[in-house]
Amino acid sequence: MANFIPVDEFDLVIFGATGDLAMRKLMPALYHREHDGQITGDSRIIGASRGDLGRDEYLSRVEEALRSHMPADDFNDEDWAKFRERVHYVQCDAFSPDDWGDLTETLSGCEQRVRVAYLATAPSLFGPIAQGLGQNGLVTDNSRIVLEKPLGHDYESAREINEQVGACFAENQIYRIDHY
């Protein structure tokens, strides 16, 4: 049996939280981490998207996704009760950085935590989201940003995305991962 090591308290903000990547891959993976005891303390998973959803509606979508994309034996009410307490939702439009009040308020007071922005969006949103995080004072020394490759559709668009993200995050804070 694998030995799972708990991680430090964190705030994980998933941009594109209602999309396929978030619902089909990320939420089930995070649910399994909850089940295995890796998520600790007051760690939070914060879904961010343009949709005008309340937390209850978002939780309903997450539960439906978990039940749809995981083996039935993996889902249980006890783990779901713990996991759902960690999951929050904020409305946030990448192209309106002045309208990020809900996210700013949600993250306020937790600057010492590891803060991860996972961009489960089209690459064309990577720069605007990084800029919005920077403009709203949401990038801390403990921040990370996760981008799924490929970045852009050619050399020029990839260079532009890297420049935009690099203007807000130090290179050691940027995680470029391969698309699943």
Side-chain angles (χ1 to χ4, degrees), residues 74-105:
D74 287 359
F75 188 90
N76 67 67
D77 292 335
E78 183 181 334
D79 287 336
W80 171 241
K82 290 189 297 186
F83 186 69
R84 70 177 280 124
E85 289 305 310
R86 296 192 188 286
V87 177
H88 304 271
Y89 180 81
V90 295
Q91 185 176 6
C92 185
D93 185 341
F95 292 110
S96 300
D98 295 337
D99 191 32
W100 286 36
D102 289 345
L103 181 58
T104 302
E105 184 179 322

Side-chain angles (χ1 to χ4, degrees), residues 117-147:
Y118 194 110
L119 281 52
T121 66
S124 61
L125 294 175
F126 292 178
I129 291 171
Q131 292 167 350
L133 290 165
Q135 290 172 7
N136 285 283
L138 300 176
V139 179
T140 68
D141 290 342
N142 292 325
S143 290
R144 314 286 186 266
I145 190 166
V146 180
L147 316 171

Side-chain angles (χ1 to χ4, degrees), residues 108-122:
S108 179
C110 299
E111 290 76 13
Q112 76 288 353
R113 289 185 189 179
V114 171
R115 181 178 289 173
V116 179
Y118 194 110
L119 281 52
T121 66

